[in-house]
């Protein structure tokens, strides 16, 4: 974190102090030799690589459960299976190894990865965001900003985005769509993973897969106080019912946090990662030892020449072999680049290559078993142990995507990209471990609905393929912008990257889009709706900030208001919340004119969410004097990966402690000189008299002169704003201390 973040660039500051919240500021020098440090670093990296197995790669490494069952194969031949395996091998190699492990992991935003981090990286290095104030704040902390300033004029693409508001809005919407696709992944991964794992019951007990269609009937199941009714002739089979119960239990356990069970995640995924390739090697030796001849790309060309359109349509199922690869990039903030690369290149990638080779070898000798593509190739002697491992691995894979969804929602709420929802931190140590009750139950309902409505791995696979392919395509486009605008990569290399991966993923997208009517529309619709909600919320919030910046109250006007003899300074400590830092919100003028008073000690507080992952603890709270008696400014800075865990009393204590430090450190510059003792006495008396937190409750007044776009988006924003949580409960402010002041803003 750049130390410059601790210095406010406001023009109205007279003096300021930064709150030190760390308990120890001393530097500790380790007298360890460089060789020992390297050894410890390697061991630490290897330990992190082991931990990534249970968090990062759950969705990717469990993909063999549902890839072949998701394909609509009709009388496949040996050459068909060789072509399919060749496609999967080169997809894993090019997209998994080259794109994500070698290129995308280098495009981190100060240690954070994912679609949103790429957009944040672009905003902090180019004027491609929608709000100038956020660009100013965020770029001040970026270590490469000077490099960008020196090369910005050389990028025509960067200049185009700076000039075009439409292009910036499209870029924001595409980035949000990518985030929403990851949320869609959090809906479909638990459904397809658990359903595919539980599908192992069909092989030893074929009767559980039968559906009764001769007559209509109903039955009900009571579970944890909930009663589930199933009606009609299309009753879910026992496999789907058990899968739904497993998911319900999993979601109900989310409120306890993942830390209590996380210690078993990596061993489970480690067991899965080691056992599946061992079964694959056995299958290769026993069924088709020459399977690796399919590594030659010419089998791909032969596959498409022989199957034509049918081969192209099969890509909608083949793309699932790379599902979960986005988590390799999105979970970068939880680990580091080296640990993820080591785990993927030396365990996950070889495991998948051998497992798919074993499945394909079995299917070449048993071509009609593709609908049960995983459990059919498991030897009878190890069937039940593999079933248990597969079920546990599917649950772990589901947990990783659910937790990632909570993190995405939390980051979006922190930056005002999403309506405020309740965010609970379930660990006192790990700030990134969060739980969102509303989001959790919505995910639970959607996951169970997907299983009970679809009930077929092929239909869910169609939906899943849409998510996987679109997220990859969006990441490719954003990475291309990063290469051109930030990295200044030679255009030849950029063109090579773009045409290879955009072309490859574009073909996948075209194939899965043919499955839109067969279930693929569900995740696309959910993602589009979420993206529209995020864009509408963000647009409305930024329009409010723009209005407040244009109608803000400066210190001179505030001083004139306070000189009015009819305005009384009442006892108490007031925190007046504002969205602007270099002035005072226009709601203050409305409040003073209506109430004819202002508290003796008033602190104008701004929550400043920066486009950086984290803000150092000792730089989060900045206090400054505004040059008027009893009037101060407070800026709370947070990154999108930080936790806003300021409890009411704790927050007041931190601010008052910093005010005392400010009064002791700085000389008084008030119009009417006051001694330091008098100021501190006034502060104590105000705190004892009572603390109050005031925020604006504003609404837009859409006039006749507003455009159609503004009318639509602002009306939609008002609906969202009227149904979301207040910002103050997020700070833990007690209800009796909260006051809301209403005001209409003209659009």
């Amino acid at each position: 974190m750049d130390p410059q973040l601790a210095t406010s660039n406001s023009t109205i500051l007279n003096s300021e102090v930064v709150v030190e919240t760390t308990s120890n500021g001393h530097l500790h020098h380790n007298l360890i030799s460089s060789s020992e440090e390297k050894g410890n670093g390697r061991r630490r990296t290897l330990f992190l690589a082991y931990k990534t197995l249970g968090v990062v790669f759950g969705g990717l490494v469990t993909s063999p459960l549902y890839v072949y069952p998701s394909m609509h194969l009709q009388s496949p031949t040996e050459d068909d299976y060789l072509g399919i395996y060749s496609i999967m091998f080169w997809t894993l190699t090019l997209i998994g190894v080259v794109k994500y492990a070698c290129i995308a992991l280098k495009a981190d935003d100060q240690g954070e990865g994912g679609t949103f981090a790429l957009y944040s990286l672009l905003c902090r290095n180019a004027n491609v965001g929608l709000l100038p104030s956020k660009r100013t704040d965020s770029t001040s902390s970026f270590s490469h900003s000077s490099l960008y300033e020196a090369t910005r004029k050389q990028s025509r693409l960067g200049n185009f985005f700076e000039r075009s508001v439409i292009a910036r809005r499209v870029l924001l919407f595409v980035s949000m769509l990518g985030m929403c696709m990851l949320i869609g992944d959090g809906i479909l991964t638990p459904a397809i993973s658990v359903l595919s794992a539980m599908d192992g019951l069909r092989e030893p007990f074929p009767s559980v897969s039968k559906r009764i269609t001769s007559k209509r009937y109903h039955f009900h199941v009571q579970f944890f106080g909930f009663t589930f009714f199933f009606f009609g002739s299309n009753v879910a089979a026992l496999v789907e019912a058990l899968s739904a119960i497993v998911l319900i239990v999993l979601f109900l356990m989310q409120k306890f946090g993942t830390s209590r069970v996380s210690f078993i995640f990596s061993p489970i995924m480690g067991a899965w990662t080691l056992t599946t390739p061992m079964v694959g090697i056995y299958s290769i030796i026993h069924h088709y030892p020459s399977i690796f001849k399919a590594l030659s790309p010419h089998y791909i060309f032969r596959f498409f020449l022989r199957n034509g359109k049918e081969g192209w349509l099969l890509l909608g199922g083949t793309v699932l072999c790379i599902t979960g690869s986005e988590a390799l990039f999105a979970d970068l903030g939880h680990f580091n680049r080296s640990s993820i690369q080591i785990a993927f290149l030396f365990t996950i990638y070889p495991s998948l290559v051998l497992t798919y080779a074993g499945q394909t070898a079995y299917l070449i000798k048993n071509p009609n078993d593709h609908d049960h593509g995983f459990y059919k190739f498991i030897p009878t002697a190890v069937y039940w142990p593999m079933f248990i491992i597969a079920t546990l691995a599917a649950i772990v894979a589901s947990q990783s995507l659910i937790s990632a969804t909570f993190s995405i929602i939390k980051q979006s709420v922190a930056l005002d990209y999403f309506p405020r929802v309740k965010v609970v931190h379930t660990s006192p140590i790990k700030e990134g471990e969060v739980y969102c009750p509303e989001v959790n139950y919505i995910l639970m309902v959607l996951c169970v609905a997907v299983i009970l409505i679809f009930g077929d791995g092929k239909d869910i696979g169609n939906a899943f393929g849409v998510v996987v392919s679109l997220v990859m395509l969006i990441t490719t486009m954003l990475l291309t912008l990063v290469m051109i605008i930030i990295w200044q990569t030679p255009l030849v290399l950029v063109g090579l990257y773009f045409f290879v991966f955009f072309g490859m993923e574009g073909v996948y997208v075209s194939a899965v889009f043919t499955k839109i009517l067969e279930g693929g529309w569900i995740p696309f619709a959910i993602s589009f709706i979420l993206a529209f909600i995020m864009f509408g919320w963000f647009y409305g919030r930024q329009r409010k900030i723009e209005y407040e910046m244009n109608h803000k109250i400066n210190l001179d006007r505030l001083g004139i208001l306070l000189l009015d003899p009819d305005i009384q300074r009442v006892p108490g400590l007031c925190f007046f919340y504002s969205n602007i830092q270099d002035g005072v919100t226009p709601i203050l003028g409305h409040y003073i004119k209506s109430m004819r008073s202002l508290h003796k000690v008033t602190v104008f507080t701004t929550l400043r969410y920066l486009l950086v992952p984290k803000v150092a603890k000792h730089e989060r709270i900045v206090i400054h004097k505004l040059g008027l008696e009893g009037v101060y400014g407070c800026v709370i800075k947070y990154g999108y990966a930080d936790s806003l865990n300021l409890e009411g009393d704790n927050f007041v204590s931190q601010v008052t402690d910093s005010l005392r430090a400010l009064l002791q450190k700085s000389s008084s510059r008030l119009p009417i000189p006051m001694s330091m003792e008098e100021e501190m006495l006034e502060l104590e008396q105000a705190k004892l008299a009572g603390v109050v937190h005031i925020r604006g409750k504003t609404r837009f007044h859409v006039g006749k002169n507003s455009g159609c776009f503004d009318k639509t988006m602002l009306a939609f924003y008002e609906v969202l704003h009227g149904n979301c949580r207040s910002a103050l409960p997020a700070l833990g402010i007690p209800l009796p201390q909260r006051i809301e002041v209403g005001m209409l803003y003209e659009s």
Side-chain angles (χ1 to χ4, degrees):
M1 189 70 190
D2 199 306
Q4 292 177 354
L5 271 179
T7 305
S8 174
N9 55 7
S10 173
T11 59
I12 64 175
L13 306 186
N14 290 330
S15 59
E16 66 179 24
V17 65
V18 180
V19 182
E20 298 287 345
T21 60
T22 55
S23 60
N24 191 351
H26 299 289
L27 296 176
H28 299 278
H29 300 280
N30 296 322
L31 302 178
I32 303 175
S33 65
S34 59
S35 60
E36 290 177 343
E37 289 180 350
K38 290 180 180 178
N40 291 335
R42 288 195 206 96
R43 285 192 292 270
R44 192 161 45 247
T45 299
L46 290 176
F47 180 67
L48 284 176
Y50 167 73
K51 291 175 67 176
T52 62
L53 297 179
V55 178
V56 177
F57 300 107
L60 179 60
V61 79
T62 55
S63 59
L65 284 169
Y66 46 78
V67 170
Y68 272 115
S70 298
M71 295 184 188
H72 298 268
L73 295 171
Q74 297 178 355
S75 302
T77 64
E78 176 182 338
D79 286 340
D80 290 335
Y81 281 119
L82 291 175
I84 291 172
Y85 177 67
S86 185
I87 293 172
M88 289 193 291
F89 171 80
W90 286 107
T91 299
L92 287 168
T93 302
L94 291 177
I95 296 179
V97 176
V98 178
K99 175 186 171 180
Y100 282 103
C102 297
I103 299 177
L105 289 179
K106 295 182 179 179
D108 65 290
D109 180 28
Q110 295 189 354
E112 294 287 335
T115 306
F116 182 76
L118 288 176
Y119 177 74
S120 171
L121 190 63
L122 289 168
C123 288
R124 293 196 300 105
N125 289 269
N127 296 328
V128 299
L130 293 179
L131 186 64
S133 62
K134 289 209 173 194
R135 293 195 303 267
T136 302
D137 287 341
S138 58
T139 54
S140 64
S141 67
F142 186 56
S143 59
H144 300 293
S145 58
S146 58
L147 173 63
Y148 170 72
E149 291 295 332
T151 59
R152 179 173 57 181
K153 294 182 179 179
Q154 300 177 8
S155 174
R156 295 181 180 179
L157 185 61
N159 291 333
F160 168 74
F161 276 100
E162 291 178 7
R163 293 192 304 266
S164 175
V165 176
I166 296 177
R168 295 201 298 270
R169 286 177 177 173
V170 170
L171 178 62
L172 173 61
F173 189 81
V174 169
S175 303
M176 288 181 174
L177 184 61
M179 295 171 59
C180 295
M181 285 292 172
L182 280 179
I183 297 175
D185 200 353
I187 296 172
L188 293 174
T189 295
I192 195 171
S193 298
V194 175
L195 183 63
S196 299
M198 297 297 293
D199 196 59
L201 292 173
R202 299 181 192 266
E203 178 62 19
F205 305 108
S207 60
V208 302
S209 63
K210 295 179 181 179
R211 296 175 181 270
I212 302 174
T213 59
S214 59
K215 62 179 180 179
R216 295 183 59 86
Y217 67 96
H218 75 275
F219 69 92
H220 69 274
V221 177
Q222 289 188 343
F223 183 75
F224 277 88
F226 297 95
T227 301
F228 299 91
F229 290 90
F230 300 90
F231 294 90
S233 58
N234 194 22
V235 180
L238 180 60
V239 169
E240 288 97 30
L242 291 176
S243 301
I245 292 174
V246 169
L247 285 177
I248 291 172
V249 173
L250 179 63
F251 280 106
L252 291 178
M253 293 176 59
Q254 293 303 309
K255 62 181 179 181
F256 300 109
T258 58
S259 59
R260 296 186 180 182
V261 293
S262 61
F263 68 95
I264 65 172
F265 283 5
S266 293
I268 289 173
M269 298 311 298
W272 170 266
T273 305
L274 290 176
T275 54
T276 51
M278 292 173 62
V279 175
I281 293 173
Y282 169 83
S283 179
I284 292 170
I285 297 173
H286 188 69
H287 295 290
Y288 199 85
S290 60
I291 183 64
F292 290 109
K293 67 182 181 181
L295 301 186
S296 173
H298 86 276
Y299 282 95
I300 299 176
F301 296 101
R302 289 174 55 182
F303 174 79
F304 286 114
L305 288 175
R306 183 172 57 257
N307 293 283
K309 180 180 178 181
E310 293 299 322
W312 168 65
L313 293 176
L314 286 175
L315 292 177
T318 309
V319 71
L320 298 183
C321 72
I322 200 67
T323 181
S325 59
E326 186 66 25
L328 183 151
F329 182 36
D331 289 336
L332 178 60
H334 297 282
F335 302 96
N336 59 46
R337 183 189 308 162
S338 299
S339 63
I340 293 177
Q341 288 176 330
I342 290 173
F344 179 74
L345 296 176
F346 294 99
T347 60
I348 304 301
Y349 176 70
S351 175
L352 288 172
V353 170
L354 291 173
T355 301
Y356 283 122
Q359 281 186 280
T360 307
Y362 171 83
L363 291 174
I364 288 176
K365 296 300 182 181
N366 303 273
N368 295 322
D369 285 348
H370 52 82
D371 283 338
H372 309 278
F374 180 76
Y375 284 106
K376 280 286 188 179
F377 99 110
I378 301 296
T380 305
V382 295
Y383 187 90
W384 287 113
M386 287 301 301
F387 172 77
I388 295 173
I389 294 175
T391 303
L392 294 175
I395 294 174
V396 173
S398 304
Q399 178 62 60
S400 64
L401 267 298
I402 294 170
S403 299
T405 301
F406 292 157
S407 298
I408 291 171
I409 293 295
K410 176 229 177 183
Q411 294 172 7
S412 302
V413 171
L415 265 177
D416 262 351
Y417 282 87
F418 197 82
R420 289 181 292 269
V421 295
K422 185 176 182 180
V423 178
V424 179
H425 293 267
T426 57
S427 172
I429 301 174
K430 300 178 182 179
E431 294 183 356
E433 188 177 316
V434 295
Y435 164 66
C436 303
E438 297 98 333
V439 176
N440 180 64
Y441 292 118
I442 291 174
L443 287 178
M444 181 181 73
V445 171
L446 292 177
C447 283
V448 173
V450 165
I451 287 180
L452 297 182
I453 293 175
F454 286 90
D456 189 338
K458 290 185 178 180
D459 292 334
I460 300 178
N462 293 335
F464 205 14
V466 174
V467 172
V468 173
S469 57
L470 278 178
V471 169
M472 292 191 304
L473 193 66
I474 290 172
T475 300
T476 293
M477 292 188 291
L478 293 178
L479 272 174
T480 303
L481 294 179
V482 169
M483 289 179 180
I484 297 174
I485 298 176
I486 301 176
W487 292 352
Q488 298 291 310
T489 306
L491 292 180
V492 175
L493 296 179
V494 175
L496 179 64
Y497 166 83
F498 181 78
F499 286 113
V500 169
F501 291 101
F502 188 84
M504 184 177 181
E505 292 161 0
V507 173
Y508 273 128
V509 170
S510 66
V512 298
F513 265 44
T514 63
K515 309 296 183 182
I516 291 293
L517 298 179
E518 301 176 19
W521 61 272
I522 291 182
F524 189 80
I526 293 174
S527 301
F528 189 85
I529 291 172
L530 286 172
F532 184 72
I533 290 174
M534 294 176 70
F535 184 79
W537 177 263
F538 178 77
Y539 181 79
R541 298 295 294 174
Q542 302 318 311
R543 285 297 303 271
K544 277 195 172 183
I545 293 176
E546 290 175 3
Y547 180 90
E548 292 180 345
M549 293 294 291
N550 294 330
H551 298 83
K552 64 186 178 183
I553 298 175
N554 55 33
L555 282 183
D556 293 335
R557 184 181 173 190
L558 178 59
I560 294 173
L561 289 173
L562 295 181
L563 288 176
D564 188 338
D566 294 333
I567 304 299
Q568 302 295 319
R569 299 298 295 271
V570 297
L573 173 60
C574 171
F575 290 89
F576 210 108
Y577 291 86
S578 172
N579 289 329
I580 54 179
Q581 183 176 342
D582 55 347
V584 182
T585 171
I587 298 174
L588 176 66
H590 179 64
Y591 173 79
I592 292 177
K593 291 178 180 179
S594 300
M595 304 298 294
R596 312 302 296 173
S597 64
L598 187 68
H599 290 76
K600 284 188 177 180
V601 178
T602 301
V603 181
F604 295 105
T605 307
T606 301
L607 305 179
R608 181 64 60 190
Y609 298 105
L610 305 180
L611 288 175
V612 294
K614 291 181 179 291
V615 177
K617 289 184 178 180
H618 65 279
E619 297 177 350
R620 285 184 178 178
I621 301 179
V622 179
I623 304 292
H624 49 267
K625 300 174 70 174
L626 297 182
L628 296 173
E629 181 179 346
V631 179
Y632 305 91
C634 174
V635 180
I636 305 173
K637 298 181 178 181
Y638 273 82
Y640 60 77
D642 279 321
S643 60
L644 192 61
N645 58 353
L646 298 176
E647 295 297 332
D649 294 337
N650 187 32
F651 168 64
V652 173
S653 299
Q654 290 185 42
V655 174
T656 53
D657 290 344
S658 63
L659 279 175
R660 293 190 192 96
L662 174 64
L663 295 175
Q664 293 174 354
K665 181 179 179 180
S666 61
S667 60
S668 177
R669 301 182 182 181
L670 299 177
I672 302 176
M674 294 177 61
S675 66
M676 181 185 68
E677 291 78 8
E678 290 176 344
E679 290 184 89
M680 295 189 68
L681 179 60
E682 185 178 81
L683 175 61
E684 291 298 329
Q685 290 177 345
K687 185 177 179 181
L688 292 174
V691 179
V692 65
H693 300 261
I694 300 178
R695 68 180 289 265
K697 185 72 173 180
T698 59
R699 292 190 61 186
F700 276 108
H701 174 69
V702 182
K704 296 181 180 180
N705 295 329
S706 300
C708 182
F709 180 81
D710 276 352
K711 289 182 179 179
T712 303
M713 296 307 298
L714 294 180
F716 180 59
Y717 167 77
E718 289 298 333
V719 173
L720 296 175
H721 188 263
N723 291 278
C724 74
R725 290 177 177 265
S726 170
L728 293 186
L731 287 172
I733 305 301
L735 185 62
Q737 296 181 5
R738 300 205 303 262
I739 295 178
E740 293 184 345
V741 180
M743 184 176 178
L744 287 176
Y745 285 177
E746 292 187 13
S747 62

